[in-house]
Amino acid sequence: MEFGVTDRAGRSGFTEQRRKTGAKNQLYMGESYQERLDKIADQRSAAAFREAYAKKMAGSADYVSVISQLFNTENAGAANFEDAFPQYSVVTHVGNADISPGNWQRNDFPFWKYFRKDTSADALNDWRPVGENPPQTRGDLQRNYSSVGPGRIAVLIPESLQKKMDADPDYARQIVAKLREWKEDYDRWDNTVAASYGADVAAHQAGKSYVFDLDENGDVRNCTVTGSGGQLTGPTREEIEQFKAEQARKWKLRVKYIQIMEESAERKRIQEYEDLRFFQNQVVKQNFLFGEQAEG
């Protein structure tokens, strides 16, 4: 879960190149804005995604964006993942991982094993879940999450992709750059969510570790991110429920306020009506008395 994302030579040639670059920059985590947004069920995460996307498109230099970029901008021309992320301890596993998204997204999927150097990329292909998806707060899962620690990256690379990267350094740099951009997009979004919960964004960013499962084109097929507190990043079920409860409380207060205003308006309307009736009665009485005096 996420803390839970699309002429002629000369001047015309430059315009075409800028158009292509602009189209690329419209993507967020390798997808169009709407494709990624449609995958986000939690409303708070969706709101954070919209904010993070707007910041990226605007080239924002706000605090959250700067923190997110600091961990993704060193050694931009790197041709391998170890050099691309010098602030992390990086391990790569070359092989054919075959994990369904349903299995990967379970809280008990043992992704933490990929951080071990002796784990192969296909080591968890036969893993099968048992029972319902357990909560992240379960004791054994918390211990496994915590065992990862902060500042680590594990990358699963298909053999076919690794061969192409080995044969063509320029292609390898493109694949590495693609993952760097995906990670920066994710971090900006995830850190925006964290900030909305009042978290220390710098500490949150520094505490993360990542597993990236790439497909044969170098796109992120599956990903899990943990925080140093021993949890998957993104709002937990408990935080979501707390947020919903708070929203429900605010809504009840708003409804109550509206009721009070409506009742007050109704009382005012009744009072105005009664005042009008009194005034009309007084006018009638005065006219009657004036008539009697005129006849006398």
Side-chain angles (χ1 to χ4, degrees):
M1 179 168 46
E2 290 142 340
F3 183 158
V5 94
T6 77
D7 298 6
R8 298 174 181 171
R11 180 178 175 81
S12 61
F14 170 76
T15 303
E16 176 65 10
Q17 178 62 37
R18 183 173 59 184
R19 186 189 67 77
K20 290 180 178 179
T21 302
K24 175 179 181 295
N25 289 338
Q26 295 300 313
L27 299 180
Y28 203 101
M29 295 170 66
E31 297 176 304
S32 72
Y33 170 83
Q34 198 60 49
E35 286 173 335
R36 173 55 58 170
L37 183 61
D38 287 344
K39 295 179 180 180
I40 307 171
D42 175 55
Q43 293 304 305
R44 191 164 190 146
S45 294
F49 176 81
R50 296 187 188 96
E51 182 179 347
Y53 180 87
K55 288 178 179 179
K56 178 183 179 180
M57 294 303 111
S60 177
D62 68 293
Y63 177 67
V64 171
S65 297
V66 170
I67 291 295
S68 305
Q69 292 167 353
L70 282 175
F71 286 75
N72 297 287
T73 54
E74 291 189 20
N75 205 0
N80 63 71
F81 300 111
E82 291 83 354
D83 291 342
F85 301 105
Q87 294 171 315
Y88 294 87
S89 173
V90 181
V91 58
T92 59
H93 302 292
V94 179
N96 297 313
D98 184 19
I99 311 296
S100 70
N103 281 359
W104 192 286
Q105 292 167 10
R106 282 182 60 101
N107 292 330
D108 55 352
F109 177 69
F111 67 88
W112 48 86
K113 294 183 179 180
Y114 287 128
F115 289 100
R116 304 172 186 168
K117 291 185 177 181
D118 59 351
T119 300
S120 63
D122 59 354
L124 301 179
N125 288 2
D126 296 330
W127 183 86
R128 295 293 179 270
V130 177
E132 296 295 323
N133 189 22
Q136 295 179 21
T137 53
R138 202 174 74 182
D140 62 322
L141 296 182
Q142 282 293 304
R143 287 190 294 273
N144 286 322
Y145 299 161
S146 297
S147 70
V148 173
R152 304 179 68 186
I153 291 177
V155 186
L156 310 183
I157 310 174
E159 293 179 3
S160 58
L161 175 61
Q162 186 63 59
K163 288 179 180 179
K164 288 188 286 188
M165 292 176 67
D166 290 341
D168 186 346
D170 287 337
Y171 178 74
R173 279 188 280 271
Q174 293 175 25
I175 297 299
V176 170
K178 184 188 295 189
L179 181 59
R180 290 168 65 101
E181 182 179 10
W182 194 100
K183 180 180 175 297
E184 183 178 332
D185 285 347
Y186 173 86
D187 285 338
R188 185 184 286 107
W189 172 23
D190 182 60
N191 289 338
T192 301
V193 177
S196 74
Y197 280 93
D200 182 331
V201 174
H204 178 70
Q205 174 65 66
K208 297 179 194 175
S209 287
Y210 310 75
V211 179
F212 297 112
D213 173 30
L214 306 185
D215 65 16
E216 61 182 8
N217 297 314
D219 294 316
V220 176
R221 178 168 49 189
N222 294 302
C223 174
T224 295
V225 184
T226 60
S228 57
Q231 77 282 346
L232 304 186
T233 68
T236 65
R237 184 184 302 276
E238 293 78 9
E239 288 170 330
I240 292 173
E241 291 303 321
Q242 181 181 2
F243 175 72
K244 289 180 178 178
E246 180 64 15
Q247 291 301 98
R249 185 186 70 82
K250 290 179 179 178
W251 173 253
K252 288 180 180 178
L253 289 176
R254 182 172 181 271
V255 170
K256 184 64 177 176
Y257 174 75
I258 292 173
Q259 290 175 339
I260 292 173
M261 293 299 293
E262 289 177 344
E263 291 171 358
S264 176
E266 179 65 13
R267 286 196 297 269
K268 182 178 180 181
R269 187 187 67 80
I270 293 172
Q271 184 63 50
E272 290 176 345
Y273 177 74
E274 292 176 347
D275 290 344
L276 178 61
R277 289 291 302 272
F278 176 78
F279 175 75
Q280 289 173 337
N281 289 335
Q282 291 298 106
V283 170
V284 170
K285 289 179 180 180
Q286 289 177 1
N287 289 340
F288 178 76
L289 292 175
F290 180 76
E292 284 187 336
Q293 291 173 358
E295 290 178 359

